[in-house]
Amino acid sequence: MKTSIFSTSLRFPRYLFLGFILSVLAACEKEPIDSISENDLKSEIYRDAEKSQNPNKVLIRSEGMNFIAPDEIKSGWNTFRYENGTGNPHFFVIEKLPDGKTVEDSKAEIAPLFQEGMDLITEGKFDEAMAVFFSLPAWYWEVVLQGGPGLVSPGMAAESMVYMTPGNYVIECYLKTPNGVFHSSIGMAKGIHVTEESTSIREPKPSLRINISSNSGIELSGKLRPGHHEVAVYYEDQAVYGNFVGHDVHLVRLSSSADLVALNNWMNWIDPAQFKTPAPEGVEFLGGMQELPAGGTGYFSVNLTPGTYALISEVPDPESKNMFRIFEIPQQ
């Protein structure tokens, strides 16, 4: 079975490219965010200083509405370690720009149209908003989704591995503040250049495997046990849903107070009331894998303790698409 994310020639269009709505939203009320001190961080993986300093990992950290990240990395397989040192959940999706395009092109040609479209959605003028989105420049539809870590709760860290070819990329988080301001519009978008020089990193041997498709939803296989897992996520296909994004996988630890209906509804950014911080009560996001093209595989690492977990996708009503799967990790 092919495992490279470039095992298919399909380019999956990113309808939602909100990382550069900077100028128009600058006047909006911003959500106050306090950094979390390192002593307060909960994740075991976060406290592992050796992993944070591992030269084979690309360290990306948020201390507010920002991404502290290198400007340039090598091509090939890359392990991204995302450390969320803020008081809200975040993620980042990796987007490859077409040849010759840069962050500056996105700011000049994409941001104004997205602002207009989002304003129309907020006003309930959905048809008019769609017309605006379809007027985006032709090169925008060549943006390729390259994965990235799923949602990560405050004070947590997550690691994901994806394959990258040389070129210009953007990482962004487009969660919304309580006031409806996209995180990407107030600092959570950054450009990264991937060089011709390649890493020597190899794909891990997974202990768990997730297959995801528009037909079967999320399917999990492997021995469910406590401890460290390398999880392979294989994209059998890819599709564009009612929120103009494709399916992805987020890992969630559920407490006894978790509101599953609220979580299911929350995963839809196009609903003006959803995909806002903070997250629904009783859930703790542990990472996952953002969208990849059909035929692509990405990996993420996680330490699982006994309890109740879920795999959920950022699509409208994931439960109806078999993309909200609950599972248990038993006691040893």
Side-chain angles (χ1 to χ4, degrees), residues 56-330:
N56 290 325
K57 295 178 181 177
V58 179
L59 176 60
I60 297 178
R61 177 176 168 82
S62 294
E63 296 178 348
M65 286 295 188
N66 59 8
F67 287 122
I68 302 169
D71 296 324
E72 187 173 275
I73 62 175
K74 297 179 181 179
S75 57
W77 286 102
N78 276 280
T79 298
F80 289 90
R81 174 183 170 81
Y82 178 50
E83 300 182 345
N84 182 5
T86 79
N88 280 300
H90 295 296
F91 67 89
F92 67 82
V93 61
I94 304 169
E95 302 165 341
K96 186 177 184 184
L97 302 179
D99 291 343
K101 296 301 178 180
T102 67
V103 168
E104 286 69 31
D105 294 311
S106 297
K107 291 178 180 178
E109 300 178 36
I110 304 301
L113 292 178
F114 263 107
Q115 180 56 51
E116 183 181 354
M118 291 304 297
D119 287 345
L120 289 168
I121 289 176
T122 302
E123 295 170 9
K125 300 176 181 178
F126 197 80
D127 290 342
E128 291 92 331
M130 296 307 99
V132 171
F133 290 144
F134 278 115
S135 70
L136 286 161
W139 68 262
Y140 175 76
W141 307 107
E142 299 179 35
V143 172
V144 182
L145 275 291
Q146 300 281 188
L151 286 154
V152 181
S153 283
M156 303 294 287
E159 293 187 359
S160 62
M161 176 187 281
V162 296
Y163 191 90
M164 305 182 74
T165 57
N168 291 327
Y169 291 76
V170 170
I171 62 172
E172 67 161 322
C173 172
Y174 54 85
L175 280 167
K176 296 177 286 187
T177 72
N179 300 314
V181 180
F182 288 95
H183 291 188
S184 52
S185 73
I186 47 178
M188 299 204 80
K190 188 183 187 313
I192 296 178
H193 179 70
V194 176
T195 68
E196 296 285 344
E197 184 181 0
S198 179
T199 70
S200 58
I201 299 172
R202 297 182 179 180
E203 296 174 72
K205 183 178 180 180
S207 53
L208 295 175
R209 181 180 177 88
I210 296 168
N211 284 41
I212 183 169
S213 72
S214 57
N215 294 319
S216 301
I218 293 173
E219 299 175 304
L220 173 64
S221 59
K223 184 177 181 180
L224 296 176
R225 56 165 178 78
H228 179 82
H229 288 276
E230 296 291 340
V231 185
V233 184
Y234 176 64
Y235 286 74
E236 296 180 9
D237 65 10
Q238 190 54 273
V240 179
Y241 297 87
N243 60 347
F244 310 116
V245 297
H247 46 251
D248 55 10
V249 177
H250 302 267
L251 176 63
V252 191
R253 181 186 287 121
L254 302 173
S255 74
S256 58
S257 64
D259 186 335
L260 302 184
V261 174
L263 176 60
N264 185 72
N265 294 338
W266 188 78
M267 300 299 293
N268 184 14
W269 75 266
I270 205 167
D271 184 334
Q274 304 299 336
F275 219 51
K276 292 182 175 182
T277 52
E281 292 291 331
V283 303
E284 188 173 56
F285 291 108
L286 303 177
M289 181 55 56
Q290 296 286 349
E291 297 99 317
L292 289 174
T297 297
Y299 302 87
F300 68 89
S301 302
V302 66
N303 288 306
L304 296 175
T305 57
T308 304
Y309 294 81
L311 297 168
I312 192 168
S313 185
E314 186 210 330
V315 295
D317 191 11
E319 184 178 18
S320 69
K321 301 172 179 64
N322 295 318
M323 292 185 183
F324 188 179
R325 297 296 183 102
I326 296 174
F327 64 95
E328 295 284 337
I329 296 297

